[in-house]
Amino acid sequence: MNPIDELARLFAEEGTRDYFGEPVSQAAHMLQAAALAVRDGAPEPLVAAALLHDIGHFHGLVRGADLMRGTDNRHGDTGADWLARWFDDAVCEPVRLHVDAKRYLCAVEPEYYDRLSDASRYTLSVQGGPMTEAEAAAFADGPYADDAVRLRRWDEAAKEPGAGVPPFEWYRPLLERRLLRDGE
Ligand code: FE
């Protein structure tokens, strides 16, 4: 199956599930994150990352060996590893790092924690809590840290019930342009 068709199917079928205590479905949440990335003029790989950032939560994705590591607090890795078959690091690495970006922001911006939703505070606690100073410095040094932080801010903002945003298909041409071709 064409990977973009498979993504469209995941959004249509699994994406309607609740998003862990938030007032929007998983699909609505990811579509809102992507719309915020477009609004802010993000480059295409980062728009794709915003659109796909919680794909690791989709149940159809987690099978076989993936299941062993597919616990909620690893969904950045699960999603990024799955996406890496079709997309390059500019798409996959912000997805991988968006969980750590929350731990980073809570360490460097004390007011950031205060703005987190209850569900997001809970998952922060199972994801390891705020980074230490040394962890935050190491994180900020990484090549995709800035992208991951931008993605994280859209992630936190993308929880508005009933927000009118473009559907998955609006992003198909962009995703087609980001697909790795054989030999790349
Ligand atoms: Fe999210």
Side-chain angles (χ1 to χ4, degrees):
M1 188 188 254
N2 173 311
I4 298 176
D5 289 339
E6 182 153 3
L7 289 167
R9 185 187 62 79
L10 285 166
F11 268 73
E13 293 177 4
E14 305 235 8
T16 55
R17 290 174 198 264
D18 283 354
Y19 177 54
F20 308 110
E22 305 287 2
V24 291
S25 70
Q26 288 185 26
H29 166 67
M30 291 159 78
L31 291 168
Q32 284 183 32
L36 292 169
V38 171
R39 180 200 69 184
D40 289 351
E44 286 199 347
L46 193 51
V47 172
L51 178 69
L52 304 173
H53 76 273
D54 278 338
I55 203 85
H57 280 319
F58 284 6
H59 297 232
L61 212 64
V62 182
R63 43 175 122 69
D66 291 342
L67 192 62
M68 300 304 293
R69 49 199 300 265
T71 51
D72 284 348
N73 59 341
R74 303 294 295 166
H75 76 275
D77 282 328
T78 307
D81 289 348
W82 190 76
L83 291 169
R85 283 185 277 171
W86 298 302
F87 299 102
D88 67 9
D89 284 355
V91 175
C92 300
E93 289 311 296
V95 171
R96 185 183 309 284
L97 295 173
H98 86 277
V99 175
D100 279 349
K102 179 168 67 170
R103 299 183 54 229
Y104 169 78
L105 281 165
C106 287
V108 299
E109 294 181 9
E111 68 280 10
Y112 185 84
Y113 177 87
D114 298 333
R115 291 200 303 264
L116 292 180
S117 65
D118 288 344
S120 201
R121 279 183 201 181
Y122 170 73
T123 52
L124 174 71
S125 70
V126 298
Q127 286 155 354
M131 286 182 173
T132 64
E133 211 170 306
E135 286 173 329
F139 177 85
D141 259 357
Y144 291 101
D146 290 347
D147 283 351
V149 166
R150 292 185 78 189
L151 172 48
R152 189 71 227 181
R153 295 187 196 281
W154 298 320
D155 190 2
E156 300 302 343
K159 296 169 181 176
E160 291 294 323
V165 292
F168 179 85
E169 288 301 321
W170 192 86
Y171 297 95
R172 185 179 286 266
L174 182 153
L175 293 173
E176 296 275 5
R177 286 192 289 276
R178 302 314 313 170
L179 271 187
L180 295 175
R181 306 294 167 191
D182 283 353
E184 265 189 60

